[in-house]
Amino acid sequence: AEAAELRARLRSVKHTVLVLSGKGGVGKSTFSALLAHGLAADEAKQVALLDIDICGPSIPKMMGLEGEQVHQSGSGWSPVYVEENLGVMSVGFLLSSPDDAVIWRGPKKNGLIKQFLRDVDWGEIDYLIVDTPPGTSDEHLSIVQYLSGAHIDGAVIITTPQEVSLQDVRKEINFCHKVKLPIIGVVENMSGFICPKCKNESQIFPPTTGGAEKMCQNLNVSLLGKVPLDPQIGKSCDKGQSFLSEAPESPATTSYRNIIQRIQEYCDQHHFQEEKII
């Protein structure tokens, strides 16, 4: 009965994309926020961003929604809207202060994730983006299990170029294979820094083992693209603004737009194949 309820609620979701990383601090929430902004740039598309990073919800800050509250109606919880076609849900909206710590064991976290999927009235959605915490544990198993009734287009995995990060990303790829979660591809974040004055590129995190490109070749996974460091990304996140519209000329914006286009193409292809099977 529970599975049927979740399936009924998620029937109106066309595409679901999970954003994963093996490590914290590699820019996963930043990528999720910008992916949502990039997809919502097409006003004909309805986009939803679900933050299931229960202990470190940074999406409200990045989307400029700090201090907002969730409202309940007869049809469930209403998401908080950034634009008319971009809704957000996060545990951050349920806390009395952004400094409050969520000190919960696994079952309570899983219960909230289920509630987000079952009780939030998203309406008809083209893209549901799910920002996950780092790792391969409770929250990840829960979201894959709860979404198994609906379909997941796949996962985008975020890494930085150095081996310390890649080591954990290999575990994440292994996790996806084990739970039969398709991998859309890998994004290499903080991939070099182009000096705004002299235009020289420096490797802040040197790819000592060949970076994400070599890892993707070895593991037969797509590399969606590389995003260079840009100080404006951090500033835009702190202000709750979209970096894509704040710095349209940045090389990082070009990279993001290309990656977002590739994700859209993958989802369209996935949808087309599913319709053929049906």
Side-chain angles (χ1 to χ4, degrees):
E2 208 169 57
E5 207 179 343
L6 279 171
R7 236 190 337 265
R9 177 63 91 181
L10 297 166
R11 200 171 284 137
S12 57
V13 178
K14 207 169 185 182
H15 300 294
T16 305
V17 176
L18 303 191
V19 181
L20 306 174
S21 77
K23 240 187 164 35
V26 295
K28 177 174 38 55
S29 295
T30 304
F31 182 82
S32 301
L34 290 175
L35 174 58
H37 276 300
L39 293 169
D42 177 354
E43 287 173 14
K45 297 277 187 260
Q46 283 293 330
V47 182
L49 176 56
L50 174 58
D51 178 11
I52 64 161
D53 191 347
I54 310 291
C55 295
S58 41
I59 288 295
K61 175 88 175 163
M62 289 180 177
M63 302 303 278
L65 300 172
E66 252 189 336
E68 294 284 347
Q69 301 266 300
V70 172
H71 300 287
Q72 268 188 310
S73 66
S75 53
W77 288 351
S78 300
V80 180
Y81 283 90
V82 184
E83 311 278 351
E84 274 185 33
N85 66 332
L86 174 53
V88 180
M89 182 53 76
S90 166
V91 72
F93 301 139
L94 308 176
L95 304 176
S96 53
S97 147
D99 298 335
D100 278 2
V102 178
I103 309 168
W104 291 354
R105 291 190 187 275
K108 199 165 178 187
K109 289 183 190 174
N110 300 342
L112 183 65
I113 292 168
K114 191 187 292 178
Q115 209 170 348
F116 278 159
L117 295 174
R118 188 190 59 209
D119 295 347
V120 176
D121 180 25
W122 296 108
E124 293 281 328
I125 305 177
D126 292 290
Y127 293 95
L128 172 63
I129 312 301
V130 184
D131 180 31
T132 65
T136 55
S137 57
D138 266 355
E139 293 92 327
H140 309 83
L141 287 166
S142 296
I143 197 80
V144 171
Q145 182 191 337
Y146 298 149
L147 288 171
S148 60
H151 72 279
I152 305 178
D153 286 77
V156 175
I157 301 173
I158 314 297
T159 186
T160 46
Q162 77 276 35
E163 179 56 29
V164 167
S165 178
L166 296 171
Q167 201 170 36
D168 289 340
V169 167
R170 291 187 193 97
K171 294 182 179 77
E172 201 73 45
I173 291 169
N174 193 8
F175 165 82
C176 291
H177 292 325
K178 282 187 173 170
V179 298
K180 297 184 169 49
L181 174 60
I183 297 170
I184 298 174
V186 173
V187 173
E188 185 176 85
N189 221 354
M190 310 182 203
S191 180
F193 168 69
I194 298 162
C195 174
K197 289 198 173 122
C198 68
K199 303 298 177 198
N200 272 346
E201 187 174 348
S202 309
Q203 293 298 331
I204 308 294
F205 300 107
T208 52
T209 56
E213 196 167 353
K214 184 84 167 65
M215 180 196 71
C216 288
Q217 285 168 5
N218 293 343
L219 298 177
N220 197 23
V221 174
S222 298
L223 178 67
L224 293 173
K226 300 179 179 186
V227 181
L229 274 163
D230 186 323
Q232 182 62 43
I233 296 176
K235 282 184 194 167
S236 297
C237 286
D238 282 354
K239 288 188 202 162
Q241 294 166 334
S242 167
F243 166 74
L244 302 179
S245 50
E246 290 287 298
E249 303 303 315
S250 167
T253 298
T254 308
S255 293
Y256 269 119
R257 293 208 182 279
N258 291 338
I259 291 164
I260 291 165
Q261 190 181 348
R262 288 192 66 183
I263 292 169
Q264 278 180 295
E265 285 166 3
Y266 174 96
C267 289
D268 291 342
Q269 183 66 25
H270 195 246
H271 190 64
F272 175 68
Q273 284 171 346
E274 280 197 339
E275 281 186 334
K276 265 173 69 178
I277 291 163
I278 290 163

